[in-house]
Amino acid sequence: MESLPVTTMSSSKSERRLKSKTVHNTSKSSLLMGFLSCLAWLYVAGRLWQDAENRVLLASLLKKNSVQRPKVLTMEDKLVVLGCKELEKRIVEAEMELTLAKSQGYLKNQLQQTGSSSGKKLLAVIGVYTGFGGRLRRNIIRGSWMSKADVLSKLEERGIIVRFVIGKSPNRGDSLDHNIDEENRLKKDLLILDNHEEAQEELPKKAKFFFSTAVQMWDAEFFVKVDDNVDLDLDGLVELLKSHHNKDSAYIGCMKSGDVVVEEGKPWYEPEWWKFGDQKSYFRHASGSVVILSKNLAQYIYTNSVSLKAYAHDDISVGSWMMGLKATYIDETRLCCSYSGQDKVCSA
């Protein structure tokens, strides 16, 4: 009878140990399940976030492609496009016709052209290049060509206009300009180029302004550029011009070509020498001190003066403008000032 409590107490302790162990195992399982649940939640959330980013990127790409995708044109849109193309074509054709009309003498907003006092077309306008320091040389030429007071009117009767050609001072309105204006008031034999700056570095551009201005002012068959450092046989020049009467697109002069000077500092240096090819040789051009153009070539220079390129030398510049035209090149030995023949027109 005394052993019964001992058995009961032993059994009770065993039950308690078993319950404690069961509770402990259940707690571990719950923690493990919670940890695994957190990992699963983080994985799902990460995938959802990545999918959201992918959807945003895909949406932006679709939007970009939809903007770049060519629009489906309706029939009205096609008609508008065709109409614009047709209008553009007509504008281009009109511009070409306008350029052609200008080159043939239909010049808009031009200066009033004058011929001779008799109403006949002039044979030639001769422009003698001069500068601010050239008054002595101008007086020498006046003494040889213009020894009488009425010589200008007599030359005009022969169909010849002679003018000394000069631009404006870099300092507009200074004493240089004032002296030239006063000299012209007295002599009335200067052609003052208002848009040209009279400076050594601007000399290549002088041809554009001279031919453009002269062809607007006078109706002549030829336009002649002459340097003031040569002696000109005016009668011989007139005979030469008459021998080429009615020759369209005449480009007359002492035709030469030669090596391009590529070394800076040397005389006749050409800064843009690389444009003249590997041989570094100038194209054929009227070189020297006398260059003659027929009226339509002078009109071409006037019409296209804004876009014409000027090189380091005026004769090269004029020659480059003639290359793209159907100009008739006339090589006149008599215009080579170093020529020793009796019929030479000029001498240095």
Side-chain angles (χ1 to χ4, degrees):
M1 293 296 292
E2 292 178 356
S3 62
L4 288 172
V6 174
T7 303
T8 303
M9 291 178 62
S10 176
S11 176
S12 177
K13 288 180 179 179
S14 297
E15 289 178 358
R16 285 198 297 270
R17 283 197 299 270
L18 180 62
K19 288 181 180 180
S20 175
K21 186 176 182 180
T22 302
V23 172
H24 182 71
N25 290 337
T26 303
S27 177
K28 283 185 176 180
S29 298
S30 298
L31 288 174
L32 180 62
M33 290 298 295
F35 178 72
L36 292 176
S37 298
C38 288
L39 289 179
W41 182 85
L42 290 174
Y43 173 76
V44 173
R47 289 299 303 268
L48 291 174
W49 179 266
Q50 186 177 6
D51 289 344
E53 286 186 337
N54 290 338
R55 284 195 296 270
V56 172
L57 179 60
L58 182 60
S60 63
L61 290 175
L62 289 174
K63 184 178 180 181
K64 184 178 181 181
N65 289 336
S66 64
V67 172
Q68 294 179 348
R69 187 180 302 166
K71 180 183 176 182
V72 178
L73 297 178
T74 64
M75 183 58 68
E76 291 182 357
D77 294 332
K78 291 180 179 179
L79 291 175
V80 170
V81 171
L82 292 175
C84 291
K85 289 184 177 179
E86 181 63 25
L87 180 60
E88 181 182 5
K89 181 180 178 182
R90 291 172 62 186
I91 291 174
V92 172
E93 291 176 350
E95 289 176 344
M96 293 175 64
E97 291 176 358
L98 178 61
T99 302
L100 178 62
K102 286 183 177 181
S103 66
Q104 293 177 344
Y106 301 95
L107 305 176
K108 200 171 183 179
N109 298 326
Q110 64 180 16
L111 300 175
Q112 182 64 40
Q113 281 192 338
T114 58
S116 65
S117 57
S118 61
K120 295 181 180 179
K121 185 175 182 177
L122 295 167
L123 175 63
V125 174
I126 302 173
V128 183
Y129 278 21
T130 187
F132 292 113
R135 183 161 189 169
L136 177 61
R137 186 61 193 170
R138 291 194 292 273
N139 288 334
I140 292 175
I141 294 175
R142 289 181 181 116
S144 59
W145 296 2
M146 311 171 185
S147 57
K148 297 182 181 179
D150 60 346
V151 69
L152 288 178
S153 60
K154 288 187 176 182
L155 285 174
E156 185 180 332
E157 290 174 3
R158 298 174 60 188
I160 303 295
I161 295 290
V162 179
R163 293 291 186 272
F164 294 104
V165 183
I166 191 169
K168 286 287 191 176
S169 168
N171 302 313
R172 296 295 179 104
D174 62 5
S175 59
L176 295 176
D177 283 344
H178 176 75
N179 292 338
I180 287 296
D181 291 338
E182 182 63 20
E183 182 179 345
N184 190 40
R185 187 183 68 81
L186 296 173
K187 303 295 185 180
K188 295 181 174 57
D189 59 1
L190 278 87
L191 174 60
I192 302 173
L193 305 175
D194 291 330
N195 296 324
H196 175 64
E197 183 178 298
E198 194 63 41
Q200 184 63 33
E201 61 273 14
E202 297 294 323
L203 183 59
K205 300 177 183 178
K206 193 170 183 175
K208 286 200 294 187
F209 292 106
F210 163 61
F211 287 115
S212 297
T213 303
V215 79
Q216 292 179 84
M217 293 183 64
W218 293 287
D219 181 18
E221 188 171 355
F222 297 104
F223 294 84
V224 186
K225 168 258 176 182
V226 181
D227 289 339
D228 68 348
N229 60 353
V230 298
D231 294 324
L232 188 68
D233 179 1
L234 185 59
D235 291 332
L237 178 62
V238 170
E239 291 303 316
L240 183 150
L241 293 173
K242 287 182 177 179
S243 68
H244 298 295
H245 179 63
N246 288 332
K247 288 184 180 178
D248 291 333
S249 303
Y251 174 38
I252 310 172
C254 178
M255 296 293 173
K256 291 183 180 180
S257 59
D259 295 334
V260 179
V261 179
V262 302
E263 297 181 26
E264 188 173 0
K266 285 192 174 183
W268 311 111
Y269 168 64
E270 175 58 68
E272 298 184 80
W273 54 267
W274 55 273
K275 290 186 177 180
F276 295 91
D278 295 336
Q279 300 300 320
K280 299 180 181 61
S281 178
Y282 283 124
F283 39 76
R284 202 74 170 166
H285 62 280
S287 64
S289 301
V290 184
V291 177
I292 303 172
L293 299 180
S294 61
K295 181 179 180 179
N296 63 326
L297 296 182
Q299 285 177 332
Y300 170 82
I301 292 174
Y302 162 64
T303 304
N304 301 278
S305 60
V306 175
S307 58
L308 291 177
K309 164 70 178 174
Y311 290 96
H313 314 295
D314 61 339
D315 53 354
I316 298 297
S317 298
V318 176
S320 69
W321 306 336
M322 298 298 107
M323 286 186 67
L325 305 177
K326 292 183 179 179
T328 303
Y329 283 59
I330 301 175
D331 185 12
E332 272 288 355
T333 307
R334 290 177 287 176
L335 294 178
C336 300
C337 296
S338 58
Y339 173 60
S340 58
Q342 295 296 321
D343 59 343
K344 66 179 181 179
V345 171
C346 67
S347 58

